[in-house]
Amino acid sequence: MVDGESRRIRFHDYAEIYKIPGMYEKLFADMLECTSPDVVAGLLADAVDAAGQDMASVRVLDFGAGNGMVAEALAAKGVTTIVGVDLLPEARAAAMRDRPGLYGDYIAGDVTALDVEQHDSIVEAQLNCLTCVAALGFDDVPPAAFAAAFNYVVSSGWCAFNLRDRYVDEPSAFSRLLDRMIAEGVLVDASHVRYHHRLAVSGEPLEYDAVIARKTRDIPESWIG
Ligand SMILES: C[S@@+](CC[C@H](N)C(=O)[O-])C[C@H]1O[C@@H](n2cnc3c(N)ncnc32)[C@H](O)[C@@H]1O
């Protein structure tokens, strides 16, 4: 019910969900107990601390940023510079509406096809960490888009994302890319933690892996078909 009117909104229709203040949080965080923004931000903070670095020095590109729940969790851990990217203008609008001031910049668009101004603003931000939470593995983010976002982060930066267990355990376009990134040293020091991401609508827990790693170099263009 929205303002006394009954509406049918599909579960993954994020554009419609973001338009209604509080609906994403009610659905995913409250009803389905999604923990991922806090889990991934917490594991990243632990890894940064273990490396003797300060979260205030971590400058994040939050890819698939949605309405800012990951930015909020990162800010709670001490991150002060966050640039958001999401395909949907509704995600950007919701983040500006619900969490103003968290993002230094937030670009709504396809990361593989940014205009010159958008491209330059990300490069100039000298970002040293990619976060991508609850966005990989469902063919929404093609490997080329992940690679483009990853390659905006400086080498020696951090990478923190999550992935449903079956996309780690079974071959998929993204799992093949991830395996290759680790095998060929594009990602090093990768730690995997399996945890309850959220409940499915059936009430069953959904298991995800959180992956925290260091970037050594860009994903070569030749790897992306
Ligand atoms: C489940 S939401 C997660 C939002 C946020 N990361 C969080 O954890 O609350 C997935 C987000 O990924 C975005 N997304 C999907 N495909 C994308 C792409 N190719 N490029 C950028 N964002 C994308 C969607 O628009 C959506 O906002």
Side-chain angles (χ1 to χ4, degrees), residues 49-165:
D49 187 49
Q53 296 180 17
D54 190 336
M55 282 293 267
S57 69
V58 174
R59 304 167 63 82
V60 175
L61 175 60
D62 184 22
F63 181 55
N67 64 355
M69 294 194 72
V70 175
E72 191 167 81
L74 290 168
K77 293 290 180 187
V79 175
T80 56
T81 302
I82 311 173
V83 172
V85 175
D86 200 289
L87 212 45
L88 297 175
E90 292 86 352
R92 182 182 190 283
M96 299 299 113
R97 178 194 66 210
D98 299 338
R99 296 180 176 80
L102 270 183
Y103 290 100
D105 193 6
Y106 191 124
I107 294 168
D110 178 354
V111 73
T112 65
L114 299 181
D115 65 30
V116 173
E117 197 182 325
Q118 292 169 329
H119 169 86
D120 289 350
S121 77
I122 298 186
V123 171
E124 280 162 19
Q126 285 286 300
L127 303 171
N128 61 8
C129 179
L130 177 72
T131 56
C132 187
V133 177
L136 295 172
F138 296 93
D139 295 334
D140 288 344
V141 178
F146 179 81
F150 183 85
N151 288 352
Y152 272 119
V153 168
V154 298
S155 297
S156 84
W158 294 91
C159 183
F161 60 90
N162 69 349
L163 201 57
R164 189 164 175 183
D165 54 357

Side-chain angles (χ1 to χ4, degrees), residues 192-214:
H192 288 244
V193 174
R194 191 153 289 188
Y195 70 100
H196 291 320
H197 160 63
R198 64 169 170 81
L199 301 175
V201 282
S202 62
E204 293 295 306
L206 294 175
E207 301 284 308
Y208 272 51
D209 275 14
V211 180
I212 313 293
R214 303 298 298 262

Side-chain angles (χ1 to χ4, degrees), residues 22-33:
M23 183 166 177
Y24 183 87
E25 289 83 344
K26 178 78 186 166
L27 193 53
F28 292 98
D30 296 351
M31 296 174 73
L32 299 177
E33 303 173 7

